[in-house]
Structures are given as structure tokens and as C-alpha cells.
Amino acid sequence: DIVMTQSPDSLAVSLGERATINCKSSQSVLYSSNNKNYLAWYQQKPGQPPKLLIYWASTRESGVPERFSGSGSGTDFTLTISSLQAEDVAVYYCQHYYSAPRSFGQGTKLEIK
Amino acid sequence: EVQLVESGGGLVQPGRSLRLSCAASGFTFGDYAMHWVRQAPGKGLEWVSGISWNSGTIDYADSVKGRFTISRDNAKNSLYLEINSLRVEDMALYYCARDPVKYSGGDWYFDLWGRGTLVTVSS
């Protein structure tokens, strides 16, 4: 099974500053036949279900603000919020869908400094 | 409105059974694979089980294999999870979630989530 590990576990960033969350998979989630990384990112605000932000490692879901971006390939991935807004306070999860069973990272709690 | 609404959770004694339901609306339920994902109190997300659009492919996490049964009724726009031999470690908020790709075996990410139904296991 593929293990997803996020870093850091928690992060405090000032409003307007950049926030960076990392995700590492125990094996590559890059499918060579289509050159796609089977990696998604979710945002979970308190008391709410997760919300899809990014899929294919870097494709923003419809309606997601442009300040959210995903990057990386193979085993190392990054979610970047270019200018932190108050409404971005949440826990962020990465998830692979390369093979069964799909698994999530442990989550990164993002707060305002 | 496109939505998923879970129900059926509650307080259950260890060893007992429970059936969770997920009602879909606002989209053609029968075209999409569906999943159950759970979240223990204060913890992260764990994929539990998935079922393809036509029930032809079903999969479970090792942690629930043999105790949980996923099923769907496309005529009723509903997804189910039968939970047997409940354990304390099954206590969680259970989310229903949709695969984004029509007619898939359930191999993708999750683009639509319900608000969850809480299963509490205690004697």
C-alpha cells in the first residue's frame, strides 16, 4: 500500500503571505502511460466535509480560487496558497488514487499567525 | 442542487450492526462510482469502501473487510453501508463521496461529499 506523509503537521502563516504544504508518497504516483500524477488535495474547514481543491496534482477544481496551486511529480508534491486569506484556515489533506487502496495524508492544520 | 445526504448513524453497542444510507440528488446517481470515507473524532480521513456505477466492482479497506458490505440501489438513488460486529475503532463520522468520472470502476478522487453521519460505539 502507498503511504502518504504530509509536512508540516501544522503551520501558522500571516494574512497575505504564502503558505506551503508538502506531501510525499512512499512510491511514485506518476502513471507513465499518460504522464499523469494521481494526486489530489482537499480542504476541510471545521465542522464541514472535505472539499476537492486540486486533482492530477496541479489541476484546480472548478470554482477554486487561483491562489491555490499544486505542483510536484513522482513522489513529492506541494500545495501552495499564494496569499493567505482568513477563510483559508482549515486542515488540508493530500490523497493518491494511483492504486487500491487510495489513502490520505495525515493532514496539515493551517492557521493564521 | 447536487448533494449527498447520509443517515443511519447513532449510538451502538460493540458487536452490534448498523446500516448507513446515502441519498443522492441533483445528478444521475447511476452513472457514478460511490464510496464511503470515515473520519474518527479529531483524526484524519480513511477510505472505507467503494462500488462502481453498476455494482460490478466492489472494494474494501483491509480494516473493514469481512465486516462491512457496500451496496447501491440506482433506482432509489441510494448508497448503503452495512456494518457488522461493530468495534470501538469503527467510531467515526462516515461520509458518502462520489467519483468524478462516469461509468468508472471507482478509481479516482472524490469530487462531491455529503456532510456525514456519526457512528458512536459504546457499551
Side-chain angles (χ1 to χ4, degrees), chain A residues 14-19 67 80-85 88:
Chain A
S14 301
L15 288 173
E17 295 299 305
R18 178 186 300 260
R67 64 180 181 275
T80 302
I81 307 172
S82 59
S83 177
L84 189 70
Q85 305 299 302
D88 300 335

Side-chain angles (χ1 to χ4, degrees), chain B residues 32-92:
Chain B
Y32 295 88
M34 297 295 298
H35 303 266
W36 290 98
V37 178
R38 69 184 178 183
Q39 186 169 34
K43 301 297 184 181
L45 301 167
E46 179 189 16
W47 173 82
V48 171
S49 181
I51 184 169
S52 63
W53 64 281
N54 62 353
S55 302
T57 301
I58 287 176
D59 205 2
Y60 300 97
D62 286 345
S63 58
V64 307
K65 207 169 287 185
R67 297 189 300 118
F68 287 22
T69 302
I70 191 172
S71 62
R72 64 190 297 162
D73 185 334
N74 288 344
K76 295 183 177 179
N77 294 326
S78 293
L79 176 72
Y80 306 102
L81 186 68
E82 188 81 32
I83 305 175
N84 297 315
S85 304
L86 268 158
R87 302 170 180 171
V88 171
E89 54 264 34
D90 295 323
M91 186 160 62

Side-chain angles (χ1 to χ4, degrees), chain A residues 1 38 40 42 44 47-50 52 55-56 61 93 95 97 100-102 104 106, chain B residues 35 37 39 43-47 59 62 95 99 106-111 113-115:
Chain A
D1 296 359
Y38 285 52
Y42 301 86
Q44 187 177 32
Q48 295 187 20
L52 176 67
Y55 55 95
W56 298 129
E61 172 72 334
Y93 295 93
Q95 176 232 329
Y97 46 103
R102 274 161 285 192
F104 295 86
Q106 79 277 18
Chain B
H35 303 266
V37 178
Q39 186 169 34
K43 301 297 184 181
L45 301 167
E46 179 189 16
W47 173 82
D59 205 2
D62 286 345
Y95 294 106
D99 235 52
D107 306 315
W108 307 101
Y109 47 92
F110 312 114
D111 71 334
W113 298 67
R115 296 196 66 84

Side-chain angles (χ1 to χ4, degrees), chain A residues 85-112:
Chain A
Q85 305 299 302
E87 60 264 33
D88 300 335
V89 168
V91 178
Y92 292 84
Y93 295 93
C94 62
Q95 176 232 329
H96 85 86
Y97 46 103
Y98 182 86
S99 61
R102 274 161 285 192
S103 59
F104 295 86
Q106 79 277 18
T108 295
K109 187 175 184 180
L110 178 59
E111 300 173 311
I112 305 295

Side-chain angles (χ1 to χ4, degrees), chain A:
Chain A
D1 296 359
I2 298 176
V3 177
M4 309 299 291
T5 304
Q6 293 180 226
S7 62
D9 289 334
S10 63
L11 181 63
V13 175
S14 301
L15 288 173
E17 295 299 305
R18 178 186 300 260
T20 301
I21 298 170
N22 301 301
C23 174
K24 189 175 184 69
S25 56
S26 60
Q27 64 187 74
S28 177
V29 298
L30 173 63
Y31 197 37
S32 56
S33 66
N34 59 10
N35 201 37
K36 285 181 178 284
N37 287 284
Y38 285 52
L39 191 285
W41 288 96
Y42 301 86
Q43 175 194 62
Q44 187 177 32
K45 295 182 179 180
Q48 295 187 20
K51 173 189 173 184
L52 176 67
L53 295 177
I54 303 279
Y55 55 95
W56 298 129
S58 61
T59 302
R60 217 178 295 114
E61 172 72 334
S62 175
V64 173
E66 290 186 5
R67 64 180 181 275
F68 291 91
S69 64
S71 62
S73 185
T75 61
D76 293 281
F77 301 90
T78 300
L79 174 70
T80 302
I81 307 172
S82 59
S83 177
L84 189 70
Q85 305 299 302
E87 60 264 33
D88 300 335
V89 168
V91 178
Y92 292 84
Y93 295 93
C94 62
Q95 176 232 329
H96 85 86
Y97 46 103
Y98 182 86
S99 61
R102 274 161 285 192
S103 59
F104 295 86
Q106 79 277 18
T108 295
K109 187 175 184 180
L110 178 59
E111 300 173 311
I112 305 295
K113 186 188 290 184

